C-alpha cells in the first residue's frame, strides 16, 4: 500500500491506495490559518497533531505501507537556525507583504517573481532588517519541513522547489546564474544554495522514515519516502495534467490554474513559471482567494435553514445555473485576502448590485461563482495573448462535486472543463499517494507521463462540459460590472 498526506489550507488529509491505485481508506483533520503579527500562519504543533490524528484514524494494516509522501500548501517561509530551531512563525503563501522584495528580484533576475515565493519572503525579511535573518541556516516550505523531520533529508520535489527559487531548464536544480546574482546582492551572509533544500524529480527516492519520524506519526520505521511536493504539483498528478497543453484548476482557499508548457515563457506580470514534479515548465495563474467567501455565505444559509451543508451546496450551486447569464446586475467580490492578480492590495469581501438589478438567489449564487473565476479568466487571457493553447483543463477539488461550478467555469474560462469521476475527488493526498507508488512500483525508468497515462488513468471516466455561448457572453457582461465595481 501507499500513503499520501497533504497539509492543505483547510484540511490535513491522509489517503491510502493499493497497487491498482484505488483508495483503500482516507481520513482528514480540519484546521485554519490565523493572523500572527499581521501575517497569515499555521501552528506547526497542530500540523503534527492533525497528521497523527489522520494516521490513527486509518483502518489499514500500517505495516503494509511500502512508500509514502507528504505534500503541503506551496510557497511560504519557514527559516531555521543551525540547531534546527524555528526562527519565526510559518509565513504562508497568503501573505503579500513581500511585494518590495518581489519587485526588486524581478528586476534583478528578469523573471516575474511572485511575492508568495520563499525567496521573496527571505529577501523581504533581509530588507526589513529582521533580527532573525543573520541566524538563518536553512529555509524550506511546509512540506519540506515535515519531510525533513520524518527522514532527516533536506529536499524538495521539483514542483515544490520551483516555488522556492526559479529552476534551471532541465528542472533538476535551481537556476545557477540567478543564484549568483542574488548572492552578489548580499541579502544574506551565506551562499543561498547552502540555505535551500536540494531538488529531486518525481521517481527519485527521498530517504526513508526514520525512527524518530515514525514515532511522531505512529508509523513503522523504514517506509520509503518520495520527494515532498506542493499542493499544485499533487493537483497536476491527480488530474493527469502533466503533458504540454494540458492543465488543471485547483479550487480551495486559493484558486489556481496550472498549464503545462512546451517551453518557458518570457516574464508576464501575474503569471508564475513553476514546474511539474518531473521538472517540466508550467505557467501558474494563482489567485489568493477561492472558496472562503462562498463558504462563509453557506454557513449563514445553514444557520437559517438547518440544512445539511453538503445538500445545501448542491442545491444552491444548481440554483446558480438558473440565474440570468450576466447575474442580473448582481456583483460579488470574494477577496478575503489581497488579490495581486487583479491589483487589489487588501481583502474585504463584498456583495453589491447595480441600480435596478434583479436581486434573486440564483443571480446571487451565480455572481459568487463568477467572482471566484474572475482572476483565473484574467490570467488565462494573458497566456492566450502569448499563444499558449489549452487542449484540456480539469477541475480538481470539492467545488466540482456539483455540475454548476463546472459549467460556469467553462463559461468563464472559455474552454471545456473536465472532471474525473475517480479518486481525483480525494484531492492532493491521492496525488501524493500516486507519487509514492511511482517511486515504489517503477519496474524500469518509466516516465511519470507514461506511468500516469498507462497505469493510473487508462480506464478513467471523465465528464467534460463545453462552454455555453449564452453563459460565455453573460460572463463577459458580468466582468464589465465586476471591474467597474473594483
Amino acid at each position: 500500500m501507499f500513503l499520501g498526506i497533504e497539509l492543505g489550507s483547510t484540511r490535513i488529509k491522509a489517503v491510502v491506495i493499493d497497487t491498482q491505485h484505488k483508495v483503500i481508506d482516507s481520513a482528514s483533520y480540519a484546521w485554519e490559518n490565523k493572523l500572527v503579527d499581521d501575517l497569515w500562519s499555521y501552528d506547526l504543533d497542530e500540523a503534527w497533531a492533525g497528521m497523527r490524528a489522520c494516521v490513527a484514524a486509518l483502518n489499514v494494516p500500517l505495516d503494509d505501507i511500502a512508500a509514502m509522501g507528504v505534500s503541503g500548501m506551496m510557497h511560504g517561509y519557514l527559516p531555521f537556525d543551525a540547531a534546527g530551531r524555528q526562527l519565526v512563525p510559518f509565513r504562508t503563501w497568503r501573505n503579500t507583504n513581500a511585494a518590495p522584495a518581489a519587485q526588486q528580484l524581478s528586476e534583478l533576475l528578469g523573471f516575474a517573481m511572485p511575492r508568495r515565493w520563499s525567496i521573496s519572503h527571505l529577501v523581504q525579511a533581509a530588507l526589513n532588517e529582521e533580527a532573525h535573518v543573520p541566524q538563518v541556516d536553512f529555509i524550506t516550505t511546509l512540506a519540506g519541513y515535515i519531510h525533513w523531520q520524518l527522514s532527516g533529508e533536506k529536499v524538495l520535489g521539483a514542483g515544490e522547489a520551483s516555488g522556492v527559487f526559479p529552476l534551471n531548464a532541465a528542472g533538476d536544480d535551481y537556476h545557477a546564474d540567478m543564484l549568483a546574482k542574488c548572492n552578489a546582492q548580499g541579502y544574506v551572509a551565506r551562499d543561498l544554495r547552502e540555505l535551500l533544500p536540494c531538488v529531486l524529480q518525481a521517481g527519485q527516492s527521498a530517504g526513508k522514515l526514520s525512527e524518530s519520524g515514525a514515532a511522531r506519526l505512529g508509523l513503522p520505521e523504514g517506509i520509503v519516502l518520495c520527494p515532498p511536493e506542493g499542493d499544485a504539483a499533487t493537483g497536476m498528478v491527480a488530474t493527469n495534467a502533466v503533458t504540454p497543453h494540458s492543465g488543471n484548476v485547483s479550487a480551495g482557499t486559493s484558486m489556481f490554474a496550472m498549464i503545462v508548457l512546451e517551453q518557458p515563457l518570457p516574464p508576464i506580470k501575474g503569471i508564475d513559471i513553476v514546474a511539474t514534479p518531473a521538472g517540466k515548465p508550467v505557467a501558474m495563474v494563482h489567485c489568493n482567494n477561492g472558496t472562503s467567501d462562498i463558504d462563509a455565505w453557506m454557513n449563514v444559509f445553514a444557520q437559517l435553514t438547518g440544512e445539511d451543508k453538503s445538500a445545501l451546496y448542491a442545491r444552491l450551486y444548481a440554483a446558480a445555473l438558473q440565474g440570468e447569464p450576466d447575474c442580473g446586475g448582481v456583483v460579488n467580490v470574494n477577496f478575503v485576502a489581497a488579490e495581486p492578480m487583479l491589483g487589489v492590495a487588501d481583502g474585504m469581501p463584498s456583495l453589491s448590485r447595480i441600480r435596478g438589478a434583479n436581486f434573486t438567489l440564483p443571480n446571487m449564487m451565480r455572481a459568487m461563482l463568477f467572482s471566484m473565476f474572475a482572476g483565473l479568466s484574467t490570467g488565462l487571457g494573458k497566456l492566450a495573448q502569448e499563444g499558449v493553447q489549452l487542449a484540456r483543463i480539469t477541475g480538481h477539488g470539492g467545488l466540482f462535486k456539483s455540475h454548476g461550478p463546472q459549467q460556469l467555469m467553462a463559461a468563464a474560462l472559455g474552454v471545456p472543463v473536465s472532471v474525473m469521476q475517480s479518486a481525483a475527488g480525494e484531492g492532493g493526498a491521492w496525488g501524493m499517494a500516486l507519487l509514492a507508488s511511482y517511486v515504489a512500483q517503477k519496474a524500469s525508468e518509466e516516465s511519470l507521463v507514461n506511468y500516469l497515462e498507462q497505469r493510473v488513468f487508462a480506464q478513467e471516466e471523465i465528464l467534460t462540459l463545453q462552454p455555453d455561448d449564452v453563459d460565455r457572453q453573460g460572463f463577459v457582461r458580468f466582468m464589465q460590472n465586476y471591474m467597474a465595481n473594483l
Side-chain angles (χ1 to χ4, degrees):
M1 301 188 301
F2 311 101
L3 169 65
I5 298 176
E6 181 154 286
L7 294 96
S9 301
T10 56
R11 286 191 307 165
I12 298 171
K13 188 166 186 178
V15 167
V16 178
I17 64 174
D18 61 18
T19 55
Q20 301 304 308
H21 313 107
K22 305 299 182 185
V23 175
I24 301 171
D25 200 8
S26 65
S28 66
Y29 174 93
W31 69 337
E32 289 288 344
N33 57 188
K34 55 187 177 184
L35 280 170
V36 179
D37 298 328
D38 290 327
L39 293 172
W40 293 106
S41 184
Y42 291 84
D43 188 328
L44 297 188
D45 287 339
E46 188 177 8
W48 291 110
M51 287 188 292
R52 283 193 298 271
C54 288
V55 171
L58 294 172
N59 187 27
V60 298
L62 300 179
D63 287 341
D64 289 346
I65 296 174
M68 64 175 287
V70 176
S71 67
M73 56 194 90
M74 281 187 81
H75 318 305
Y77 180 62
L78 270 168
F80 299 87
D81 67 12
R85 289 185 292 257
Q86 184 182 353
L87 295 173
V88 296
F90 172 38
R91 298 175 182 177
T92 79
W93 55 271
R94 198 169 205 174
N95 293 298
T96 56
N97 61 301
Q103 178 65 30
Q104 205 173 107
L105 288 167
S106 296
E107 294 171 1
L108 174 68
L109 304 178
F111 181 92
M113 183 66 70
R115 61 189 76 179
R116 303 182 314 277
W117 282 25
S118 304
I119 186 61
S120 295
H121 284 284
L122 174 63
V123 170
Q124 189 63 52
L127 294 177
N128 294 345
E129 299 182 347
E130 295 187 34
H132 78 274
V133 172
Q135 304 173 59
V136 174
D137 182 73
F138 174 57
I139 70 167
T140 190
T141 64
L142 181 59
Y145 160 74
I146 298 295
H147 184 94
W148 170 37
Q149 297 299 301
L150 293 178
S151 66
E153 301 289 338
K154 295 180 177 180
V155 299
L156 287 177
E160 179 76 328
S162 69
V164 170
F165 194 90
L167 299 186
N168 61 20
D172 60 1
D173 197 1
Y174 301 112
H175 195 290
D177 289 345
M178 292 189 187
L179 278 175
K181 288 181 180 179
C182 285
N183 282 330
Q185 295 297 307
Y187 293 121
V188 291
R190 293 180 55 197
D191 188 327
L192 275 175
R193 182 177 289 279
E194 297 175 0
L195 303 184
L196 302 181
C198 295
V199 182
L200 296 177
Q201 293 185 339
Q204 293 183 274
S205 175
K208 295 184 177 181
L209 192 61
S210 66
E211 180 181 359
S212 61
R216 296 192 80 161
L217 293 186
L219 287 168
E221 181 183 355
I223 295 174
V224 171
L225 290 168
C226 66
E229 273 296 357
D231 50 3
T234 57
M236 285 187 277
V237 172
T239 54
N240 193 26
V242 294
T243 56
H245 306 299
S246 67
N248 77 295
V249 171
S250 179
T253 306
S254 63
M255 180 88 63
F256 53 84
M258 310 290 287
I259 313 302
V260 184
L261 305 171
E262 288 185 313
Q263 57 189 11
L265 293 170
I268 304 173
K269 185 176 177 59
I271 305 297
D272 306 352
I273 300 299
V274 290
T276 71
K280 304 302 181 185
V282 174
M284 181 180 193
V285 178
H286 185 279
C287 301
N288 266 4
N289 298 277
T291 60
S292 295
D293 179 52
I294 202 167
D295 289 343
W297 278 103
M298 291 297 186
N299 286 334
V300 172
F301 293 149
Q303 292 170 25
L304 174 68
T305 66
E307 194 171 346
D308 173 77
K309 289 274 290 288
S310 296
L312 187 61
Y313 275 101
R315 183 162 68 89
L316 293 181
Y317 286 158
L321 292 177
Q322 306 307 312
E324 296 173 56
D326 63 354
C327 308
V330 180
V331 178
N332 190 65
V333 176
N334 70 326
F335 300 160
V336 174
E339 190 52 77
M341 177 57 66
L342 289 164
V344 177
D346 204 354
M348 188 171 68
S350 66
L351 178 71
S352 56
R353 57 192 189 272
I354 63 174
R355 191 179 299 112
N358 187 15
F359 190 40
T360 65
L361 183 63
N363 282 340
M364 177 180 171
M365 292 307 305
R366 193 180 188 93
M368 288 182 181
L369 288 171
F370 273 172
S371 174
M372 280 196 285
F373 307 144
L376 289 182
S377 174
T378 301
L380 290 179
K382 293 180 179 182
L383 289 175
Q385 291 174 4
E386 294 294 328
V388 175
Q389 298 179 338
L390 265 175
R392 69 173 193 267
I393 195 161
T394 304
H396 173 59
L399 181 70
F400 299 103
K401 291 181 179 178
S402 301
H403 289 173
Q406 183 184 359
Q407 184 66 67
L408 294 182
M409 179 181 280
L413 304 186
V415 296
V417 174
S418 300
V419 173
M420 294 184 172
Q421 304 300 294
S422 71
E426 294 286 351
W430 183 62
M432 200 66 230
L434 292 179
L435 288 172
S437 74
Y438 178 53
V439 165
Q441 291 199 96
K442 285 199 308 180
S444 60
E445 289 303 310
E446 182 178 14
S447 72
L448 179 63
V449 169
N450 287 344
Y451 185 83
L452 295 177
E453 288 281 358
Q454 298 173 15
R455 297 211 206 182
V456 180
F457 293 104
Q459 306 300 319
E460 180 61 50
E461 182 182 352
I462 299 175
L463 173 65
T464 300
L465 297 181
Q466 302 290 329
D468 178 83
D469 287 342
V470 173
D471 285 340
R472 177 65 181 162
Q473 293 165 13
F475 178 76
V476 171
R477 294 196 299 274
F478 167 83
M479 281 299 293
Q480 292 171 347
N481 289 334
Y482 179 87
M483 295 306 294
N485 189 50
L486 286 188

